[in-house]
Amino acid sequence: MKTIFLTFFILFFSIPSLTEIRKLYASANNSESNAKEFFQKLIEVNKGDIKTLVAYKGASIAILSKLEKKVSDKSKKFKEGAGLIDFAVANEPNSIEIRMIRLSIQENVPKIVNYRANKKEDKKFLLDHYKEQTGVLKTYIGDFISQSKSFSEAEKQSVK
């Protein structure tokens, strides 16, 4: 019985809540310490976990890649992060939050990285499915669209 309780306790408290992760993601690009804190919260997440968390872990690795000194290390780390994001999209292609994560990373990477192929697709998906969302997720996606450089002013107004 103790083993079951201990296993449950470890699993329950090692996986961060989406609410916490969303807050950290919003500020992860603001500083190195924020980026590292965001990554640390997701360090235990693996491909078998909730795919939204897998996508956030991929985003955290992609964000951390900017801190690498060597170009080869930046590239390797970014590809690892992008791979996790794409894995999450492939497993849950109808998740608006995972699509938002991918779009947010793709719109903020330099063109030379060549990770921009899904921008139009993800933007369309967000606009097409935004009104179906409710509560906190709808607000979160709306806030993203309102500040995103991928959306026109008219599109931004449509989510207010």
Side-chain angles (χ1 to χ4, degrees):
M1 185 68 168
K2 283 183 180 181
T3 306
I4 293 171
F5 177 75
L6 184 59
T7 303
F8 174 76
F9 184 80
I10 290 169
L11 287 174
F12 183 76
F13 287 103
S14 68
I15 297 179
S17 74
L18 279 174
T19 302
E20 178 183 18
I21 293 304
R22 288 171 182 153
K23 286 179 186 174
L24 290 171
Y25 186 55
S27 65
N29 255 338
N30 295 345
S31 71
E32 182 176 332
S33 63
N34 288 2
K36 288 178 178 178
E37 179 184 6
F38 179 52
F39 173 75
Q40 284 302 314
K41 289 289 183 180
L42 295 158
I43 201 160
E44 296 298 322
V45 171
N46 62 57
K47 287 183 174 182
D49 290 325
I50 298 166
K51 299 309 176 255
T52 305
L53 290 176
V54 174
Y56 278 119
K57 181 174 184 175
S60 75
I61 294 168
I63 291 167
L64 280 180
S65 72
K66 295 188 294 187
L67 303 175
E68 295 293 331
K69 303 290 185 221
K70 294 170 43 181
V71 174
S72 61
D73 292 340
K74 284 180 191 268
S75 177
K76 181 180 174 187
K77 193 165 274 297
F78 184 83
K79 286 179 183 177
E80 177 187 353
L84 287 174
I85 296 168
D86 290 339
F87 171 82
V89 173
N91 280 270
E92 290 190 21
N94 295 320
S95 169
I96 193 169
E97 189 165 4
I98 293 172
R99 296 291 193 110
M100 183 218 68
I101 295 164
R102 182 169 68 179
L103 177 59
S104 70
I105 294 296
Q106 287 190 354
E107 76 179 12
N108 286 298
V109 296
K111 289 181 181 177
I112 195 165
V113 174
N114 202 24
Y115 186 66
R116 302 167 79 82
N118 308 101
K119 282 176 63 176
K120 288 181 184 177
E121 169 191 343
D122 290 342
K123 174 185 166 182
K124 181 177 178 353
F125 188 89
L126 266 62
L127 291 172
D128 288 350
H129 297 280
Y130 173 76
K131 289 187 177 17
E132 301 164 11
Q133 306 310 307
T134 59
V136 174
L137 183 57
K138 186 172 189 172
T139 301
Y140 183 63
I141 299 294
D143 289 347
F144 167 74
I145 291 171
S146 295
Q147 62 78 43
S148 171
K149 49 189 164 185
S150 294
F151 296 87
S152 70
E153 285 305 313
E155 291 166 333
K156 290 176 181 184
Q157 290 301 317
S158 74
V159 301
K160 289 190 177 190

